[in-house]
């Protein structure tokens, strides 16, 4: 049930954003309710309409924030959505999952003395209530053939951008569903699959040929695609390779990487439990290790699978947690027990190869680096055991080496990420570009989209130049 229904709001009144989060229940339906139309209009009215809006520069894809907010102010959600869509092809997604507090909202002038305008929630309202001109189904473009590897935010964005300007774009996606992390990682209760499907459909309508179950590096190599006539290949395969802690006990039954845990739940529909079966072992007491969005998603998912006690173990303090503020607040409100300044050192065996506990050490913060991030230092003799039967490790991911090892002349850096020019995405291999997490390492949806957008422009330029050189 909606808690807040607020009339007119000015900068001095309590902003809508202060009244969130509104948690519906611990089920697999979407949890954050978003604004009603009236609330969105009221929140939009807080915008100061700055002459030089800093918020736009804070957005990696430069959405014209003041114009879409002005449209909402006037109750025109269709116009707001049209404005956003000229720069961002996934507004319903970004309105829900972007770390606005570190981007556009961080730059909002109102934030100096008050709460910044809730730009993210307004973007979501535009996507939820607005109707953009429905794209008419187009056939594939007539310009050069372009292959995109991976249908996550980066792949979908570049495919849409290049199809719009007439290129024949084909996406090769390894999984049976497009969306990347948006479908296999971020849970339904945070980002409904229907929203992603809708946004994927509108990209397909631009004439993009989307082929699923195509693992590049196995089904075809990058060189096979070149031989098949693709003039440019854009690699957007993400960074989905799990990292482990390398502590004793990680091979025990009941230990999952967050990626495996979330993929099984999301793709096997365990979020509809008990309506659907799931191959995940259900546990009553779970520890999730890590402090990012992935850890929050795993902890809250474990709760929804029926766990009675879920600990979140993080070696720094709450202040240093990289997860979105809203996810941390929601996790705490739902009952996740935060264990800050705690580092796991061993997973205990019950004698039959299953987890029976997690041995940890308490930490304190030591010297800080230039960015103000402080090193966690173990407190001697502070060992203790968390009584759990499942451990989910969410301490980050890395690049899957499949593409780099099957494409010998493609340079990668020491961590295995593809080396690509920051402005264009051009790699060491002629005609091959890359962007998103496969270049930067695990980052954000909007940064992957921003890289793809820049690369789309560079690819169009590259192809035009190649054509004129051939003539
Ligand atoms: C659980 C979780 C929660 C997150 N929460 C947030 C959040 O709240 N906000 C936020 O901004 N960011 C969040 N992130 C990070 C964000 O989702 C990623 O930064 C973003 O999805 C990267 O986009 P991408 O297109 O580069 O890669 P991905 O989304 O990883 O997509 C890559 C695609 O390539 C496919 N692929 C991989 N290898 C191959 C191959 N060999 N052949 C063909 N296809 C291949 C994959 O199946 C996948 O579909 C989260 C990440 C996770 C895991």
């Amino acid at each position: 049930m909606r808690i807040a229904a607020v009339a007119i709001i000015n900068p001095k009144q309590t902003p809508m954003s202060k009244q969130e989060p509104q948690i519906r229940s611990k089920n697999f339906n979407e949890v954050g309710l978003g604004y009603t139309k009236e609330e969105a209009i009221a929140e939009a009215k807080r915008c100061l309409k700055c002459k030089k809006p800093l918020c736009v520069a804070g957005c990696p894809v430069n959405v014209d924030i003041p114009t879409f907010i002005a449209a909402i102010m006037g109750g025109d959600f269709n116009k707001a959505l049209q404005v956003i869509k000229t720069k961002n092809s996934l507004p319903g997604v970004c309105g829900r999952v972007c770390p606005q507090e570190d981007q556009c909202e961080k730059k909002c002038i109102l934030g100096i003395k008050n709460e910044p305008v809730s730009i993210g929630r307004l973007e979501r309202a535009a996507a939820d209530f607005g109707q953009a001109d429905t794209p008419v189904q187009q056939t594939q473009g007539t310009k050069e053939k372009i292959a995109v590897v991976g249908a996550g935010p980066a792949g979908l964005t570049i495919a849409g951008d290049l199809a719009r300007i007439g290129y024949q774009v084909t996406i090769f996606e390894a999984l049976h569903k497009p969306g990347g992390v948006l479908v296999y990682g971020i849970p339904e209760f945070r980002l409904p699959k229907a929203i992603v499907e809708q946004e994927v459909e509108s990209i397909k309508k631009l004439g993009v040929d989307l082929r699923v179950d195509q693992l590049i590096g196995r089904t075809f190599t990058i060189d096979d695609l070149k031989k098949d006539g693709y003039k440019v290949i854009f690699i957007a395969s993400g960074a989905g390779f799990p990292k482990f802690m390398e502590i004793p006990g990680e091979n025990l039954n009941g230990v999952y990487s967050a990626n495996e845990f979330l993929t099984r739940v999301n793709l096997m529909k365990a979020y509809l439990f008990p309506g659907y079966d799931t191959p995940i072992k259900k546990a009553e007491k779970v520890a999730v290790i890590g402090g990012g969005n992935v850890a929050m998603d795993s902890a809250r998912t474990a709760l929804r699978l029926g766990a009675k006690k879920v600990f979140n173990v993080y070696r720094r303090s709450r202040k240093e947690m990289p997860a979105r503020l809203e996810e941390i607040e929601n996790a705490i409100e739902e009952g996740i027990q935060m264990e800050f300044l705690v580092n796991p050192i061993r997973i205990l065996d019950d004698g039959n190869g299953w987890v029976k506990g997690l041995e940890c050490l308490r930490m304190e913060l030591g010297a800080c680096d230039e960015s103000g991030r402080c090193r966690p230092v173990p407190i001697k003799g502070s060992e203790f055991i968390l009584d759990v039967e499942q451990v989910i490790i969410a301490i980050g991911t890395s690049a899957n080496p499949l593409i780099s090892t099957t494409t010998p002349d493609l340079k990668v850096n020491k961590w295995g990420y593809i080396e690509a020019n920051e402005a264009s995405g051009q790699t060491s291999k002629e005609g091959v570009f890359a962007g998103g997490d496969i270049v930067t390492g695990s980052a954000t949806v909007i940064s992957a989209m921003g890289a793809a957008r820049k690369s789309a422009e560079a690819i169009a330029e590259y192809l035009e130049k190649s054509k004129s050189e051939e003539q």
Side-chain angles (χ1 to χ4, degrees), residues 260-441:
E260 182 189 349
F261 179 76
L262 290 171
T263 303
R264 283 181 181 225
V265 176
N266 285 326
L267 288 188
M268 305 301 180
K269 297 199 175 180
Y271 56 86
L272 292 178
F273 174 81
Y276 283 70
D277 277 342
T278 167
I280 288 269
K281 173 167 190 314
K282 289 177 207 114
E284 297 220 327
K285 290 167 282 176
V286 180
V288 176
I289 305 170
N293 289 320
V294 186
M296 296 303 102
D297 284 344
S298 303
R300 297 171 70 197
T301 297
L303 209 61
R304 284 161 174 79
L305 286 174
K308 300 236 164 40
K309 188 85 207 163
V310 180
F311 300 96
N312 176 235
V313 178
Y314 180 53
R315 64 191 181 135
R316 291 188 165 90
S317 73
R318 175 169 175 170
K319 198 162 82 82
E320 286 84 23
M321 282 180 92
R324 292 175 78 226
L325 207 63
E326 188 172 324
E327 309 320 323
I328 303 170
E329 284 171 356
N330 287 2
I332 292 173
E333 197 155 318
E334 288 178 1
I336 305 297
Q337 184 169 324
M338 296 292 179
E339 291 287 341
F340 296 121
L341 290 164
V342 168
N343 198 29
I345 50 173
R346 188 162 64 106
I347 304 170
L348 308 179
D349 189 338
D350 72 349
N352 291 311
W354 289 89
V355 174
K356 80 152 189 199
L358 181 66
E359 187 176 347
C360 303
L361 256 182
R362 300 227 176 260
M363 313 292 277
E364 59 191 353
L365 290 179
C368 305
D369 64 18
E370 284 150 16
S371 71
R373 204 169 157 80
C374 309
R375 259 181 84 84
V377 184
I379 301 175
K380 259 195 178 165
S382 65
E383 288 86 349
F384 69 101
I385 290 168
L386 280 180
D387 175 22
V388 293
E389 70 222 61
Q390 191 170 72
V391 175
I392 301 166
I393 301 173
I395 58 162
T397 50
S398 61
N400 187 319
L402 181 60
I403 293 180
S404 57
T405 51
T406 52
T407 318
D409 39 354
L410 186 67
K411 273 198 190 151
V412 293
N413 64 19
K414 63 177 173 180
W415 299 283
Y417 299 117
I418 296 176
E419 281 187 6
N421 180 294
E422 213 184 310
S424 65
Q426 172 78 58
T427 69
S428 56
K429 192 171 168 76
E430 186 62 36
V432 178
F433 292 69
D437 282 5
I438 186 61
V439 171
T440 56

Side-chain angles (χ1 to χ4, degrees), residues 93-94 96-100 103 148-157 171-187 190 211 213-220 234-240 258-259 262 266 292-298 323-324 327 397 400 402-403 406 435-449 452:
V93 170
C94 291
R96 285 170 169 80
V97 305
C98 259
Q100 291 94 1
Q103 296 174 338
V148 174
V149 180
L156 291 170
T157 300
I171 305 183
F172 295 87
E173 165 56 48
L175 294 174
H176 61 283
K177 281 204 170 165
V181 168
L182 307 180
V183 292
Y184 78 74
I186 303 180
R190 198 147 77 80
R211 301 186 193 168
D213 298 320
Q214 309 281 317
L215 181 64
I216 301 306
R218 285 280 180 273
T219 322
F220 306 108
F234 182 79
I235 306 174
S237 51
N259 236 16
L262 290 171
N266 285 326
N293 289 320
V294 186
M296 296 303 102
D297 284 344
S298 303
R324 292 175 78 226
E327 309 320 323
T397 50
N400 187 319
L402 181 60
I403 293 180
T406 52
D437 282 5
I438 186 61
V439 171
T440 56
S442 193
T444 62
V445 171
I446 197 75
S447 59
M449 292 172 68

Side-chain angles (χ1 to χ4, degrees), residues 111-162:
I112 299 173
K113 288 200 171 157
N114 207 303
E115 280 281 296
V117 174
S118 281
I119 300 168
R121 293 201 180 97
L122 290 177
E123 181 178 30
R124 170 179 170 171
D128 289 356
F129 302 126
Q131 284 218 312
D133 289 340
T134 325
V136 187
Q137 178 68 55
Q138 294 174 20
T139 49
Q140 266 209 322
T142 50
K143 291 186 183 172
E144 288 87 343
K145 277 171 67 174
I146 296 176
V148 174
V149 180
L156 291 170
T157 300
I158 199 161
D161 282 5
L162 291 169

